[in-house]
């Protein structure tokens, strides 16, 4: 089955179910995924600098620590100057992609966001700007794109409408989230999507639907990570997602989407000390170190015990570089190097 998935990039629902639910072939699955990642990306690992610029959010997703109703969070917003300072530091460290992530915070108007994007792009002409700010109107997405934004991360979270209701309160809409993703694609963004693994009451069938949706959407990046409870959410008593299942899904994604950028996420590194290393060995090829100012790091708490909240960006990068090297891969920051891979346009990996 693994061989067929590698060859055809696809399996039937029944076969996927068997593969997702059994851990007996994990080693062979991870090795197959690693060989496909090496064929396309050698041992390269790309870095994306994450700037968590606001933890205000109008939404109330049951799983998320910065949900609007959580009164225990100390809210913060970075100023433009603080964000630019993160970019300056990141650029000096070799980052060429800045990911602006936040809750859905309409304090930041389209005009303000466009101004910020234009400024980053004019200061750092060799850099990509990625937005991860949730659902907005088509015309807002278009305006950010016109201002210079290159990429957008918006995990679909789930495509099952009943399951969507278990994770989100009334007033939020699955249809809207999915139509946002298609809007982003149509506008011309490189799009990242994905979902959490092991959210309460998630079934294999839900996950298979997610994989099918990703096959339709064909995103450039696919981010998955284990669900981790946050103490001040309605799901506080639920269990974390299973790391092995998450690793298996990373490997399946690599075999289904040989060219995709797949991050070894912070959540994976939080459920297990070696989670990110294991993710990379199972087919992931991106890490997203944190560039946010240290004084706000632990306020962007989507889940409990999030790692990397106490280290400066430089220290974070040094640590992840060492971890990546310890398993035989290498973080790349050299543009000349990236060009040779057929999966990416020139410089895109950076
Ligand atoms: N507001 C933006 C950014 C969300 S944070 C948006 O809506 O896209 C980025 C991702 O973190 C989310 O898409 C979700 O999949 C993940 N996340 C949120 N809460 C989490 C939790 N408790 N455990 C693990 N991942 C979580």
């Amino acid at each position: 089955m693994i061989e067929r998935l590698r060859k055809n990039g696809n399996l039937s629902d029944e076969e996927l179910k068997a593969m997702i639910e059994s851990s007996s072939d994990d080693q062979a699955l991870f090795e197959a995924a690693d060989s496909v990642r090496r064929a396309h990306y050698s041992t390269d690992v790309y870095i994306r600098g994450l700037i968590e610029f606001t933890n205000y959010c109008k939404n109330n997703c049951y799983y998320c620590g910065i949900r609007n109703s959580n009164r225990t969070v100390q809210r913060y917003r970075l100023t433009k100057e603080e964000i630019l300072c993160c970019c300056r530091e990141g650029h000096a460290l070799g980052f060429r992609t800045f990911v602006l992530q936040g809750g859905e915070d309409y304090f930041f108007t389209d005009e303000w966001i466009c101004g910020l994007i234009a400024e980053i792009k004019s200061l750092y002409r060799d850099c990509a700007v990625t937005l991860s700010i949730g659902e907005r109107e088509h015309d807002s997405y278009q305006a950010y794109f016109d201002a210079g934004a290159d990429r957008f991360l918006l995990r679909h979270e789930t495509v099952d409408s009943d399951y969507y209701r278990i994770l989100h309160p009334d007033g939020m809409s699955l249809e809207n989230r999915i139509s946002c993703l298609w809007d982003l694609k149509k506008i011309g963004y490189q799009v990242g999507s994905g979902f959490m693994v092991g959210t309460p009451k998630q079934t294999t069938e839900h996950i298979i639907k997610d994989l099918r949706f990703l096959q339709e959407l064909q995103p450039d990046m696919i981010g998955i990570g284990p669900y981790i409870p946050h103490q001040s959410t309605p799901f506080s008593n639920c269990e974390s997602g299973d790391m092995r299942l998450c690793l298996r899904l990373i490997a399946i994604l690599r075999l289904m989407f040989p060219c995709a950028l797949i991050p070894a996420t912070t959540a994976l590194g939080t459920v297990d000390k070696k989670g990110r290393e294991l993710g990379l060995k199972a087919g992931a090829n991106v890490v997203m170190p944190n560039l946010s100012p240290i004084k706000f790091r632990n306020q962007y708490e989507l889940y409990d015990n999030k790692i990397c909240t106490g280290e400066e960006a430089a220290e974070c990068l040094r640590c992840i570089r060492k971890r990546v090297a310890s398993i035989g891969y290498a973080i790349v920051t050299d543009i000349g190097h990236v060009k040779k891979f057929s999966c990416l346009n020139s410089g895109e990996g950076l």
Side-chain angles (χ1 to χ4, degrees):
M1 235 163 36
I2 295 172
E3 214 21 62
R4 247 179 329 110
L5 180 56
R6 185 223 295 261
K7 261 231 246 22
N8 308 333
N10 209 358
L11 290 174
S12 69
D13 285 2
E14 295 68 37
E15 291 168 321
L16 279 174
K17 182 173 164 73
M19 193 174 264
I20 291 168
E21 291 183 349
S22 157
S23 60
S24 52
D25 289 331
D26 277 2
Q27 222 34 54
L29 179 63
F30 299 161
E31 277 165 26
D34 186 53
S35 84
V36 168
R37 82 88 83 204
R38 282 173 194 262
H40 290 282
Y41 289 107
S42 180
T43 53
D44 286 4
V45 173
Y46 305 113
I47 51 171
R48 309 285 187 240
L50 189 62
I51 303 172
E52 300 155 334
F53 71 102
T54 173
N55 70 351
Y56 282 83
C57 190
K58 73 171 181 58
N59 290 334
N60 244 327
C61 310
Y62 298 130
Y63 47 82
C64 184
I66 62 168
R67 64 199 302 271
N68 188 276
S69 300
N70 182 5
R71 302 276 166 240
T72 68
V73 200
Q74 212 183 329
R75 304 283 170 174
Y76 74 91
R77 292 184 176 108
L78 299 190
T79 63
K80 186 170 279 182
E81 289 63 40
E82 285 170 322
I83 296 172
L84 292 174
C85 184
C86 297
C87 295
R88 190 181 329 123
E89 192 180 358
H91 193 263
L93 289 168
F95 287 89
R96 294 295 178 267
T97 298
F98 302 119
V99 183
L100 300 168
Q101 188 175 87
E104 287 194 15
D105 182 2
Y106 281 79
F107 172 86
F108 295 103
T109 61
D110 288 348
E111 199 184 344
W112 191 95
I113 293 170
C114 288
L116 173 68
I117 295 164
E119 193 153 349
I120 297 174
K121 293 292 283 191
S122 78
L123 286 168
Y124 305 104
R125 294 183 180 280
D126 56 346
C127 289
V129 170
T130 302
L131 299 175
S132 178
I133 57 173
E135 297 165 37
R136 296 245 178 172
E137 296 294 325
H138 171 280
D139 292 355
S140 304
Y141 287 155
Q142 182 71 56
Y144 312 147
F145 188 76
D146 295 341
D150 304 275
R151 307 177 185 146
F152 205 107
L153 306 183
L154 186 77
R155 289 186 177 177
H156 66 274
E157 316 292 5
T158 177
V159 285
D160 183 285
S161 47
D162 294 332
Y163 190 53
Y164 182 88
R165 277 288 147 246
I166 294 184
L167 300 180
H168 305 94
D170 289 348
M172 293 185 70
S173 145
L174 173 60
E175 287 67 34
N176 193 60
R177 196 155 186 96
I178 301 300
S179 88
C180 283
L181 280 163
W182 290 112
D183 283 348
L184 291 163
K185 269 216 104 157
K186 241 182 287 152
I187 289 169
Y189 284 94
Q190 291 171 42
V191 171
S193 198
F195 56 94
M196 285 173 284
V197 176
T199 29
K201 300 198 163 68
Q202 185 185 49
T203 64
T204 306
E205 284 67 29
H206 295 141
I207 293 173
I208 293 170
K209 278 189 163 182
D210 291 325
L211 298 176
R212 296 296 178 217
F213 172 69
L214 291 169
Q215 285 178 318
E216 234 183 284
L217 184 70
Q218 289 292 323
D220 302 274
M221 180 182 268
I222 303 174
I224 64 167
Y227 161 73
I228 304 170
H230 184 287
Q231 59 192 346
S232 313
T233 61
F235 291 168
S236 59
N237 293 324
C238 298
E239 273 178 41
S240 286
D242 175 31
M243 181 184 63
R244 299 305 295 188
L245 173 58
C246 191
L247 295 173
R248 218 174 295 136
L249 284 166
I250 287 175
I252 291 172
L253 286 171
R254 173 56 66 209
L255 296 176
M256 288 179 120
F257 305 92
C259 282
L261 293 158
I262 303 179
T265 55
T266 307
L268 198 54
T270 299
V271 288
D272 187 293
K273 279 204 303 293
K274 289 271 183 283
R276 284 173 300 175
E277 288 90 323
L278 294 171
L280 292 169
K281 292 212 271 191
N285 62 340
V286 175
V287 288
M288 301 175 68
N290 203 318
L291 295 177
S292 314
I294 217 155
K295 67 174 169 186
F296 298 118
R297 287 271 183 95
N298 60 5
Q299 285 163 244
Y300 196 81
E301 204 183 34
L302 307 179
Y303 45 80
D304 292 334
N305 306 315
K306 189 172 153 211
I307 55 167
C308 309
T309 55
E311 293 143 23
E312 295 295 344
E315 182 50 34
C316 246
L317 181 59
R318 200 171 316 129
C319 162
I320 197 73
R321 207 189 274 286
K322 228 170 60 194
R323 287 169 179 270
V324 168
S326 77
I327 49 170
Y329 303 102
I331 283 180
V332 291
T333 48
D334 170 10
I335 196 152
H337 183 81
V338 173
K339 282 182 186 159
K340 68 176 192 247
F341 297 117
S342 56
C343 273
L344 298 173
N345 296 321
S346 155
E348 205 170 278
L350 302 174

Short mmCIF file of all heavy atoms in Angstrom, two decimals, residues 223-270:
data_model
loop_
_atom_site.label_atom_id
_atom_site.label_comp_id
_atom_site.label_asym_id
_atom_site.label_seq_id
_atom_site.Cartn_x
_atom_site.Cartn_y
_atom_site.Cartn_z
N GLY A 223 -0.08 22.57 6.63
CA GLY A 223 0.34 22.56 8.03
C GLY A 223 -0.61 21.72 8.87
O GLY A 223 -1.82 21.99 8.90
N ILE A 224 -0.08 20.70 9.51
CA ILE A 224 -0.89 19.96 10.48
C ILE A 224 -0.09 19.87 11.78
O ILE A 224 1.13 19.88 11.77
CB ILE A 224 -1.29 18.54 10.00
CG1 ILE A 224 -0.07 17.64 9.83
CG2 ILE A 224 -2.10 18.60 8.72
CD1 ILE A 224 -0.43 16.18 9.66
N GLY A 225 -0.81 19.80 12.87
CA GLY A 225 -0.13 19.65 14.15
C GLY A 225 -1.12 19.06 15.13
O GLY A 225 -2.34 19.14 14.92
N PRO A 226 -0.62 18.45 16.18
CA PRO A 226 -1.53 17.86 17.17
C PRO A 226 -2.32 18.94 17.89
O PRO A 226 -1.79 20.02 18.17
CB PRO A 226 -0.59 17.15 18.14
CG PRO A 226 0.72 17.84 17.98
CD PRO A 226 0.79 18.31 16.57
N TYR A 227 -3.58 18.67 18.15
CA TYR A 227 -4.38 19.53 19.02
C TYR A 227 -3.80 19.43 20.44
O TYR A 227 -3.44 18.34 20.90
CB TYR A 227 -5.84 19.09 19.02
CG TYR A 227 -6.59 19.65 20.21
CD1 TYR A 227 -6.92 21.00 20.27
CD2 TYR A 227 -6.89 18.83 21.31
CE1 TYR A 227 -7.55 21.51 21.38
CE2 TYR A 227 -7.52 19.34 22.43
CZ TYR A 227 -7.85 20.69 22.45
OH TYR A 227 -8.46 21.21 23.56
N ILE A 228 -3.70 20.57 21.11
CA ILE A 228 -3.24 20.59 22.50
C ILE A 228 -4.22 21.43 23.30
O ILE A 228 -4.55 22.55 22.89
CB ILE A 228 -1.82 21.21 22.61
CG1 ILE A 228 -0.83 20.45 21.71
CG2 ILE A 228 -1.33 21.20 24.07
CD1 ILE A 228 0.53 21.13 21.58
N PRO A 229 -4.75 20.91 24.41
CA PRO A 229 -5.75 21.69 25.14
C PRO A 229 -5.18 22.96 25.76
O PRO A 229 -3.98 23.03 26.05
CB PRO A 229 -6.23 20.72 26.23
CG PRO A 229 -5.20 19.65 26.31
CD PRO A 229 -4.48 19.60 25.01
N HIS A 230 -6.04 23.93 25.91
CA HIS A 230 -5.70 25.14 26.65
C HIS A 230 -6.62 25.19 27.87
O HIS A 230 -7.83 24.99 27.75
CB HIS A 230 -5.89 26.38 25.78
CG HIS A 230 -5.47 27.65 26.46
ND1 HIS A 230 -6.21 28.22 27.47
CD2 HIS A 230 -4.39 28.44 26.27
CE1 HIS A 230 -5.59 29.32 27.88
NE2 HIS A 230 -4.49 29.48 27.17
N GLN A 231 -6.04 25.50 29.01
CA GLN A 231 -6.77 25.40 30.28
C GLN A 231 -8.03 26.28 30.36
O GLN A 231 -8.96 25.95 31.09
CB GLN A 231 -5.83 25.73 31.43
CG GLN A 231 -5.23 27.13 31.30
CD GLN A 231 -4.08 27.38 32.26
OE1 GLN A 231 -3.88 26.62 33.19
NE2 GLN A 231 -3.34 28.43 32.01
N SER A 232 -8.05 27.40 29.64
CA SER A 232 -9.20 28.30 29.76
C SER A 232 -10.11 28.23 28.54
O SER A 232 -10.62 29.25 28.08
CB SER A 232 -8.74 29.73 29.96
OG SER A 232 -7.74 29.78 30.94
N THR A 233 -10.30 27.06 27.98
CA THR A 233 -11.23 26.88 26.87
C THR A 233 -12.25 25.81 27.24
O THR A 233 -12.02 25.04 28.18
CB THR A 233 -10.48 26.40 25.59
OG1 THR A 233 -9.87 25.13 25.88
CG2 THR A 233 -9.42 27.39 25.15
N PRO A 234 -13.36 25.73 26.49
CA PRO A 234 -14.35 24.68 26.78
C PRO A 234 -13.76 23.27 26.62
O PRO A 234 -14.32 22.32 27.16
CB PRO A 234 -15.43 24.92 25.72
CG PRO A 234 -15.26 26.34 25.30
CD PRO A 234 -13.81 26.66 25.45
N PHE A 235 -12.66 23.13 25.90
CA PHE A 235 -12.05 21.80 25.70
C PHE A 235 -10.90 21.54 26.68
O PHE A 235 -10.08 20.66 26.44
CB PHE A 235 -11.49 21.69 24.27
CG PHE A 235 -12.53 21.63 23.18
CD1 PHE A 235 -12.16 21.78 21.84
CD2 PHE A 235 -13.88 21.40 23.46
CE1 PHE A 235 -13.09 21.71 20.82
CE2 PHE A 235 -14.82 21.33 22.44
CZ PHE A 235 -14.43 21.49 21.12
N SER A 236 -10.87 22.29 27.77
CA SER A 236 -9.70 22.21 28.66
C SER A 236 -9.44 20.80 29.20
O SER A 236 -8.30 20.43 29.47
CB SER A 236 -9.87 23.17 29.83
OG SER A 236 -11.05 22.86 30.54
N ASN A 237 -10.50 20.00 29.34
CA ASN A 237 -10.31 18.66 29.89
C ASN A 237 -10.03 17.59 28.85
O ASN A 237 -9.92 16.41 29.18
CB ASN A 237 -11.52 18.25 30.72
CG ASN A 237 -11.63 19.10 31.97
OD1 ASN A 237 -10.61 19.47 32.56
ND2 ASN A 237 -12.85 19.45 32.34
N CYS A 238 -9.95 18.00 27.59
CA CYS A 238 -9.73 17.01 26.53
C CYS A 238 -8.26 16.65 26.43
O CYS A 238 -7.40 17.35 26.94
CB CYS A 238 -10.22 17.57 25.20
SG CYS A 238 -11.98 17.90 25.22
N GLU A 239 -8.01 15.53 25.76
CA GLU A 239 -6.62 15.07 25.62
C GLU A 239 -5.96 15.69 24.41
O GLU A 239 -6.62 16.08 23.45
CB GLU A 239 -6.61 13.55 25.45
CG GLU A 239 -6.59 12.83 26.77
CD GLU A 239 -6.63 11.33 26.58
OE1 GLU A 239 -5.95 10.82 25.66
OE2 GLU A 239 -7.36 10.69 27.35
N SER A 240 -4.63 15.72 24.44
CA SER A 240 -3.87 16.17 23.28
C SER A 240 -4.00 15.16 22.15
O SER A 240 -4.25 13.98 22.39
CB SER A 240 -2.38 16.28 23.62
OG SER A 240 -2.15 17.40 24.42
N GLY A 241 -3.77 15.63 20.91
CA GLY A 241 -3.72 14.73 19.78
C GLY A 241 -2.52 13.80 19.89
O GLY A 241 -1.53 14.13 20.55
N ASP A 242 -2.62 12.67 19.23
CA ASP A 242 -1.57 11.65 19.30
C ASP A 242 -0.44 11.99 18.34
O ASP A 242 -0.66 12.19 17.14
CB ASP A 242 -2.22 10.30 18.93
CG ASP A 242 -1.19 9.18 18.86
OD1 ASP A 242 -0.21 9.25 19.62
OD2 ASP A 242 -1.38 8.26 18.03
N MET A 243 0.78 12.06 18.88
CA MET A 243 1.91 12.43 18.03
C MET A 243 2.16 11.44 16.91
O MET A 243 2.44 11.82 15.78
CB MET A 243 3.18 12.61 18.84
CG MET A 243 4.30 13.02 17.92
SD MET A 243 5.90 13.18 18.68
CE MET A 243 6.21 11.54 19.22
N ARG A 244 2.05 10.14 17.22
CA ARG A 244 2.32 9.15 16.18
C ARG A 244 1.34 9.31 15.02
O ARG A 244 1.71 9.20 13.86
CB ARG A 244 2.19 7.71 16.73
CG ARG A 244 3.12 7.32 17.84
CD ARG A 244 4.57 7.52 17.54
NE ARG A 244 5.11 6.68 16.47
CZ ARG A 244 6.41 6.61 16.16
NH1 ARG A 244 7.30 7.34 16.84
NH2 ARG A 244 6.83 5.85 15.17
N LEU A 245 0.08 9.55 15.35
CA LEU A 245 -0.92 9.76 14.30
C LEU A 245 -0.55 10.97 13.45
O LEU A 245 -0.66 10.97 12.22
CB LEU A 245 -2.31 9.93 14.93
CG LEU A 245 -3.44 10.32 13.98
CD1 LEU A 245 -3.62 9.30 12.86
CD2 LEU A 245 -4.77 10.49 14.74
N CYS A 246 -0.10 12.01 14.12
CA CYS A 246 0.28 13.23 13.41
C CYS A 246 1.47 12.94 12.47
O CYS A 246 1.48 13.37 11.31
CB CYS A 246 0.62 14.32 14.41
SG CYS A 246 0.80 15.92 13.63
N LEU A 247 2.44 12.18 12.95
CA LEU A 247 3.61 11.84 12.12
C LEU A 247 3.18 10.99 10.92
O LEU A 247 3.64 11.19 9.80
CB LEU A 247 4.65 11.06 12.95
CG LEU A 247 5.30 11.84 14.10
CD1 LEU A 247 6.19 10.90 14.93
CD2 LEU A 247 6.12 13.02 13.57
N ARG A 248 2.28 10.05 11.17
CA ARG A 248 1.79 9.20 10.08
C ARG A 248 1.11 10.06 9.02
O ARG A 248 1.29 9.85 7.83
CB ARG A 248 0.79 8.19 10.67
CG ARG A 248 0.88 6.80 10.07
CD ARG A 248 -0.03 5.83 10.80
NE ARG A 248 0.39 5.62 12.18
CZ ARG A 248 -0.42 5.61 13.24
NH1 ARG A 248 -1.73 5.75 13.09
NH2 ARG A 248 0.05 5.42 14.44
N LEU A 249 0.36 11.05 9.47
CA LEU A 249 -0.33 11.92 8.51
C LEU A 249 0.65 12.81 7.75
O LEU A 249 0.46 13.09 6.57
CB LEU A 249 -1.40 12.75 9.23
CG LEU A 249 -2.63 11.92 9.58
CD1 LEU A 249 -3.51 12.65 10.59
CD2 LEU A 249 -3.44 11.59 8.32
N ILE A 250 1.70 13.25 8.41
CA ILE A 250 2.73 14.02 7.69
C ILE A 250 3.32 13.16 6.57
O ILE A 250 3.47 13.60 5.43
CB ILE A 250 3.85 14.48 8.67
CG1 ILE A 250 3.32 15.61 9.57
CG2 ILE A 250 5.09 14.95 7.90
CD1 ILE A 250 4.30 16.07 10.65
N ALA A 251 3.60 11.90 6.90
CA ALA A 251 4.18 10.99 5.90
C ALA A 251 3.19 10.74 4.75
O ALA A 251 3.57 10.77 3.57
CB ALA A 251 4.58 9.67 6.56
N ILE A 252 1.93 10.54 5.09
CA ILE A 252 0.91 10.33 4.05
C ILE A 252 0.80 11.58 3.17
O ILE A 252 0.73 11.49 1.94
CB ILE A 252 -0.45 9.96 4.70
CG1 ILE A 252 -0.36 8.56 5.32
CG2 ILE A 252 -1.59 10.05 3.69
CD1 ILE A 252 -1.57 8.16 6.17
N LEU A 253 0.82 12.76 3.80
CA LEU A 253 0.77 14.00 3.03
C LEU A 253 1.96 14.12 2.08
O LEU A 253 1.81 14.51 0.93
CB LEU A 253 0.74 15.22 3.96
CG LEU A 253 -0.58 15.47 4.70
CD1 LEU A 253 -0.40 16.56 5.76
CD2 LEU A 253 -1.69 15.87 3.72
N ARG A 254 3.15 13.76 2.57
CA ARG A 254 4.34 13.84 1.70
C ARG A 254 4.18 12.93 0.49
O ARG A 254 4.54 13.30 -0.63
CB ARG A 254 5.60 13.49 2.50
CG ARG A 254 6.88 13.37 1.68
CD ARG A 254 7.21 14.62 0.86
NE ARG A 254 7.52 15.76 1.71
CZ ARG A 254 7.30 17.04 1.37
NH1 ARG A 254 6.79 17.35 0.19
NH2 ARG A 254 7.59 18.02 2.20
N LEU A 255 3.61 11.74 0.70
CA LEU A 255 3.44 10.81 -0.43
C LEU A 255 2.32 11.28 -1.36
O LEU A 255 2.39 11.08 -2.57
CB LEU A 255 3.15 9.40 0.09
CG LEU A 255 4.30 8.76 0.90
CD1 LEU A 255 3.88 7.41 1.46
CD2 LEU A 255 5.56 8.61 0.04
N MET A 256 1.32 11.93 -0.83
CA MET A 256 0.23 12.45 -1.67
C MET A 256 0.61 13.74 -2.37
O MET A 256 0.12 14.03 -3.46
CB MET A 256 -1.01 12.75 -0.81
CG MET A 256 -1.75 11.55 -0.30
SD MET A 256 -3.17 12.10 0.70
CE MET A 256 -4.49 11.39 -0.22
N PHE A 257 1.45 14.54 -1.70
CA PHE A 257 1.82 15.86 -2.23
C PHE A 257 3.35 16.00 -2.20
O PHE A 257 3.91 16.66 -1.33
CB PHE A 257 1.20 16.99 -1.38
CG PHE A 257 -0.29 16.90 -1.24
CD1 PHE A 257 -0.88 16.23 -0.17
CD2 PHE A 257 -1.12 17.51 -2.18
CE1 PHE A 257 -2.27 16.15 -0.05
CE2 PHE A 257 -2.51 17.44 -2.06
CZ PHE A 257 -3.08 16.76 -1.00
N PRO A 258 4.01 15.34 -3.16
CA PRO A 258 5.49 15.27 -3.11
C PRO A 258 6.15 16.64 -3.05
O PRO A 258 7.21 16.78 -2.45
CB PRO A 258 5.84 14.56 -4.42
CG PRO A 258 4.61 13.84 -4.84
CD PRO A 258 3.45 14.62 -4.32
N CYS A 259 5.55 17.65 -3.68
CA CYS A 259 6.18 18.97 -3.75
C CYS A 259 5.76 19.91 -2.63
O CYS A 259 6.26 21.03 -2.53
CB CYS A 259 5.85 19.64 -5.08
SG CYS A 259 6.82 19.00 -6.44
N ALA A 260 4.84 19.52 -1.81
CA ALA A 260 4.29 20.46 -0.82
C ALA A 260 5.33 20.90 0.20
O ALA A 260 6.28 20.17 0.50
CB ALA A 260 3.11 19.81 -0.10
N LEU A 261 5.14 22.12 0.69
CA LEU A 261 5.92 22.56 1.85
C LEU A 261 5.13 22.12 3.07
O LEU A 261 3.94 22.45 3.22
CB LEU A 261 6.07 24.09 1.80
CG LEU A 261 6.95 24.55 0.63
CD1 LEU A 261 6.67 25.99 0.27
CD2 LEU A 261 8.42 24.34 0.94
N ILE A 262 5.77 21.33 3.91
CA ILE A 262 5.08 20.77 5.08
C ILE A 262 5.87 21.13 6.33
O ILE A 262 7.00 20.67 6.50
CB ILE A 262 4.94 19.23 4.95
CG1 ILE A 262 4.20 18.86 3.66
CG2 ILE A 262 4.23 18.65 6.19
CD1 ILE A 262 4.03 17.36 3.44
N PRO A 263 5.33 21.98 7.19
CA PRO A 263 6.09 22.35 8.39
C PRO A 263 6.05 21.28 9.48
O PRO A 263 5.05 20.58 9.64
CB PRO A 263 5.40 23.63 8.87
CG PRO A 263 4.02 23.57 8.30
CD PRO A 263 4.08 22.74 7.04
N ALA A 264 7.16 21.18 10.18
CA ALA A 264 7.19 20.45 11.46
C ALA A 264 6.81 21.51 12.49
O ALA A 264 7.60 22.39 12.80
CB ALA A 264 8.57 19.87 11.72
N THR A 265 5.58 21.46 12.97
CA THR A 265 5.00 22.61 13.67
C THR A 265 5.45 22.71 15.14
O THR A 265 5.94 21.75 15.73
CB THR A 265 3.46 22.51 13.65
OG1 THR A 265 3.08 21.23 14.20
CG2 THR A 265 2.92 22.61 12.24
N THR A 266 5.23 23.90 15.67
CA THR A 266 5.53 24.14 17.09
C THR A 266 4.70 23.22 17.98
O THR A 266 5.19 22.73 19.01
CB THR A 266 5.24 25.61 17.44
OG1 THR A 266 5.93 26.44 16.50
CG2 THR A 266 5.69 25.97 18.83
N ALA A 267 3.46 22.96 17.58
CA ALA A 267 2.60 22.06 18.38
C ALA A 267 3.21 20.66 18.44
O ALA A 267 3.18 20.00 19.49
CB ALA A 267 1.19 22.00 17.79
N LEU A 268 3.80 20.23 17.34
CA LEU A 268 4.46 18.91 17.32
C LEU A 268 5.65 18.91 18.28
O LEU A 268 5.89 17.93 18.99
CB LEU A 268 4.92 18.62 15.89
CG LEU A 268 5.25 17.19 15.49
CD1 LEU A 268 4.11 16.23 15.79
CD2 LEU A 268 5.61 17.11 14.01
N GLY A 269 6.36 20.03 18.32
CA GLY A 269 7.49 20.15 19.24
C GLY A 269 7.05 20.31 20.69
O GLY A 269 7.84 20.11 21.62
N THR A 270 5.78 20.67 20.88
CA THR A 270 5.27 20.85 22.24
C THR A 270 4.79 19.52 22.84
O THR A 270 4.98 19.28 24.03
CB THR A 270 4.11 21.88 22.24
OG1 THR A 270 4.62 23.13 21.77
CG2 THR A 270 3.53 22.06 23.63
#
